[in-house]
Amino acid sequence: VSAEREHADAGPSSSKQWMLCPASVTLSRGKPRKSSIFAQEGTAAHEVAELLIKGEPVPPYIEVEGEQIAVTEDMLDYVAPYVAFADMTEATASFFAVEQRVSLEAYFPMNRMPEPVFGTADMISYHEATRKLTVADFKYGKGVKVDAKGNTQGRTYALGAAALLAAKGFLLLNEIEILIFQPRVSPDPSKETLSRVELITWFENELKPAIARIGAGDTTENPGECQFCPRIGECRSVGRKAIEESRLAFDDGKVGGVVVPEMSSLSNEEIGAILSKAEIIENWIKGLRAEASTRIDAGQSVPGWKLVPKRAQRKWKDEEDAAKTFLKRGMTKAEVYETELRSPAGMEKVLKASGMTKEGIALVLKDLVVKESSGTTLVEDSDSRPAVSLASIFDAAPAPLLIGGAPVDDVL
Ligand code: SF4
C-alpha cells in the first residue's frame, strides 16, 4: 500500500480553484485541510485499486488517518473497470506506473518553480509505437461529476508525466489522452484527447501565469470554485458573490427589486438561469454549516442551532463472540449467518484467485451480468454525458396498469 501522500499547497487536484483564485493558496498557507469519511473512503478505494493492479492481496480493511475503512463488495465493484483498464493498458505499454509522483519543475528555468506544483497521478502509461501518453484519474466521489474536457488536474498530471517520460528517454509525444473514471457517477470514463502543442499552449497561456501569480503572493479572491477551499468559512468574497447571485436570480428588473416567483410560473429559460447560479450559493451555505458545526464543537453558541448525535446503529461488540454465543445456545449456522451472492467484482476476485484467466472469467460472466442505470440525473449542458432522449424516457415509462384488460384510466 502506498505511503501517505505529500501535498503541495498548489496541487494538481485543486488547480481549477487556484487558477481562478490565487488567494485560495496564498491566504490559506498552513491551514488544516478538513478530511471527511468520503475522502477517507476515496483514499481506501485508491489503495484497493493500486493493490489489484499490482496483483497484491486486498485486506478486508484499509487504515486511513487512523480509521479502519471496510473494503466492501461495492467498493470492489466500483474499482473493477478502472483496474481492468489499467491491466489492459499495462500489457502493451512502453512505460506504465500507478500512484506516480509528478512535478512541473522541468518546465521552469533551472527547475525553479515560483510555487511548487507536484502531485500523485493515479495511472500513467506511454505507448512508444503510437507516441501516446494516457493519464487516468480515479475518482470515488459521487457528489460532483468531474469532466475530462478542459480538466486542469488531468492536464497538470499530463504535463508532469510528459516531463517524467522525457527524463526516461521517451521524448516523442503525439497524443495525450486524459481519462477520468468516476464509477459512482458514470459507468464509462470521461475522456479528453489533445496534442502536445495544445497541452503546451494551455500551460504557457493559462497554467504558468496562474503559478506565477501564486508565487508572487497575489491575494486576489475570485469566487467560482470555492467548494473545497480551506478558506470558505472566512472568505467575504464568496459570501458577497453568493448574495449577489441570489439577488440576480430573483431580480425583477427594478433597482433593488426582488421577486420570489411561484416555481410553476417560471419559464424554462428562467429555471435554467436560476439553477446555473445555484452552485455558488449552495457551496457558500455548505461552508456556513461546516463553520457553525466547528464553532459549536469548540463550545461556542450559534443561536437557533445545536449539534446532535447522528442516529446510532446497533452492531456487535465482537462478531466472533456473538456468533459463538448463539451457536452454543443450539442455533444452527444457517440461522446465525446470512449468505449472499457476491457482486460481479467479488466473484471476479474469487475466480482470479482460483487461477482462472481473464479471458475465461470474462466468458463466464458475459451472459450473467447486466449493467442497469438507476434513473436520470439533472446536470448542466456542458456535461459530457449524452442526454437521455425523450423517446427513451417514454420507452422506459411503466406500462399502463390494466384492470380486467382495460387501462385503469379507462375504467375509473
Ligand atoms: S472561498 Fe472562494 S473566493 Fe474565497 S479564497 Fe477560497 S476560492 Fe477564493
Side-chain angles (χ1 to χ4, degrees):
V1 172
S2 57
E4 286 287 313
R5 292 176 175 192
E6 187 193 356
H7 282 283
D9 287 347
S13 59
S14 56
S15 51
K16 200 173 174 194
Q17 169 197 294
W18 55 255
M19 284 178 72
L20 183 69
C21 177
S24 67
V25 174
T26 54
L27 294 181
S28 67
R29 306 254 189 220
K31 266 189 188 300
R33 281 158 207 267
K34 283 182 192 156
S35 191
S36 66
I37 177 65
F38 306 113
Q40 290 167 347
E41 271 179 3
T43 305
H46 272 85
E47 298 207 354
V48 168
E50 184 186 354
L51 289 168
L52 289 169
I53 294 167
K54 290 180 173 169
E56 291 173 22
V58 176
Y61 291 89
I62 303 265
E63 188 176 323
V64 182
E65 294 164 352
E67 298 291 328
Q68 295 293 326
I69 308 293
V71 178
T72 60
E73 295 278 309
D74 272 356
M75 190 183 278
L76 289 168
D77 249 345
Y78 284 131
V79 300
Y82 166 65
V83 172
F85 174 80
D87 284 347
M88 190 187 74
T89 310
E90 186 177 8
T92 56
S94 318
F95 175 82
F96 178 86
V98 284
E99 299 295 319
Q100 174 66 53
R101 187 186 194 275
V102 292
S103 159
L104 296 194
E105 62 192 6
Y107 294 90
F108 294 88
M110 319 276 291
N111 284 359
R112 286 206 194 113
M113 292 184 271
E115 169 70 23
V117 180
F118 60 86
T120 308
D122 290 339
M123 194 211 89
I124 294 170
S125 86
Y126 176 68
H127 200 254
E128 206 169 10
T130 54
R131 300 175 180 175
K132 180 175 162 186
L133 163 67
T134 299
V135 172
D137 194 35
F138 176 72
K139 300 215 175 285
Y140 198 58
K142 59 179 177 178
V144 182
K145 155 94 174 105
V146 185
D147 201 334
K149 296 264 177 304
N151 187 279
T152 60
Q153 179 184 13
R155 289 180 177 194
T156 309
Y157 285 143
L159 283 162
L164 181 79
L165 288 171
K168 292 188 179 294
F170 298 115
L171 295 163
L172 300 171
L173 195 55
N174 283 358
E175 188 184 329
I176 294 116
E177 177 185 60
I178 294 167
L179 292 169
I180 295 179
F181 287 80
Q182 198 175 10
R184 294 164 89 192
V185 173
S186 165
D188 301 311
S190 169
K191 175 171 152 181
E192 176 175 69
T193 306
L194 63 174
S195 69
R196 193 179 62 88
V197 174
E198 283 169 325
L199 183 64
I200 295 293
T201 307
W202 173 78
F203 169 70
E204 289 292 341
N205 295 343
E206 299 185 43
L207 186 60
K208 199 172 167 188
I211 297 171
R213 277 196 295 274
I214 293 173
D218 187 338
T219 54
T220 308
E221 289 173 343
N222 193 9
E225 294 294 335
C226 307
Q227 191 174 3
F228 301 111
C229 177
R231 294 193 64 239
I232 193 165
E234 65 182 45
C235 176
R236 279 176 184 269
S237 297
V238 63
R240 220 176 285 131
K241 179 88 174 171
I243 289 165
E244 208 176 284
E245 297 288 11
S246 331
R247 200 180 57 74
L248 283 177
F250 301 112
D251 196 343
D252 71 350
K254 296 180 207 125
V255 179
V258 169
V259 281
V260 180
E262 265 176 47
M263 285 181 201
S264 57
S265 73
L266 290 168
S267 69
N268 294 345
E269 286 68 29
E270 285 167 329
I271 290 180
I274 294 174
L275 283 182
S276 62
K277 309 219 177 280
E279 198 181 333
I280 194 151
I281 304 170
E282 281 171 355
N283 286 341
W284 190 66
I285 302 281
K286 265 191 218 159
L288 204 58
R289 283 208 182 96
E291 181 65 21
S293 298
T294 310
R295 288 189 191 191
I296 298 173
D297 211 25
Q300 298 182 27
S301 130
V302 175
W305 294 88
K306 63 183 176 184
L307 290 179
V308 294
K310 288 190 177 157
R311 194 167 75 87
Q313 279 184 338
R314 295 193 305 164
K315 62 176 195 177
W316 302 115
K317 277 188 205 156
D318 181 327
E319 287 193 6
E320 217 174 300
D321 218 32
K324 267 190 206 152
T325 308
F326 296 124
L327 293 171
K328 261 194 216 149
R329 291 176 71 96
M331 298 177 92
T332 64
K333 279 197 169 174
E335 285 170 321
V336 174
Y337 292 103
E338 269 180 346
T339 47
E340 267 180 23
L341 182 62
R342 287 177 192 269
S343 68
M347 278 315 300
E348 255 171 10
K349 204 175 130 198
V350 173
L351 294 171
K352 203 170 171 186
S354 75
M356 213 163 162
T357 61
K358 270 187 194 167
E359 295 72 28
I361 296 172
L363 206 65
V364 173
L365 296 190
K366 193 168 70 81
D367 296 328
L368 301 174
V369 176
V370 285
K371 277 186 176 176
E372 269 177 12
S373 164
S374 52
T376 55
T377 183
L378 182 68
V379 297
E380 288 189 72
D381 252 351
S382 54
D383 191 289
S384 61
R385 285 169 286 183
V388 178
S389 68
L390 279 179
S392 69
I393 292 176
F394 289 125
D395 283 350
L401 187 56
L402 300 178
I403 293 182
V408 172
D409 285 353
D410 291 355
V411 174
L412 299 179

